[in-house]
Amino acid sequence: MEEYKLFNQKAFESTAKFEKRLNEICQRGWKAISIAAGKGGNTILLQKIDKYDNY
């Protein structure tokens, strides 16, 4: 079963800090599969990667 998570930019968070948080979560086994930008900031759809899957 696949896991998904929405990752949002905080209200007054700079883009650099948001990218740093995103990179940290991606190092923990998540992969960005969709990106949306709006007035409230960026939203990323993340998918949990099984480290033993080979495609």
Side-chain angles (χ1 to χ4, degrees):
M1 183 167 161
E2 297 181 12
E3 277 185 71
Y4 295 93
K5 178 189 289 194
L6 286 175
F7 188 74
N8 296 311
Q9 186 172 6
K10 295 180 181 176
F12 296 102
E13 183 177 35
S14 70
T15 303
K17 286 183 181 181
F18 175 69
E19 288 174 354
K20 183 178 179 183
R21 281 193 317 123
L22 179 60
N23 286 332
E24 289 172 357
I25 210 161
C26 288
Q27 289 175 352
R28 289 187 242 142
W30 292 88
K31 175 177 78 170
I33 59 172
S34 180
I35 300 171
K39 291 181 183 177
N42 298 316
T43 301
I44 313 291
L45 178 62
L46 300 169
Q47 178 183 17
K48 184 69 172 174
I49 299 173
D50 187 5
K51 92 182 202 188
Y52 300 107
D53 278 348
N54 293 323
Y55 295 101

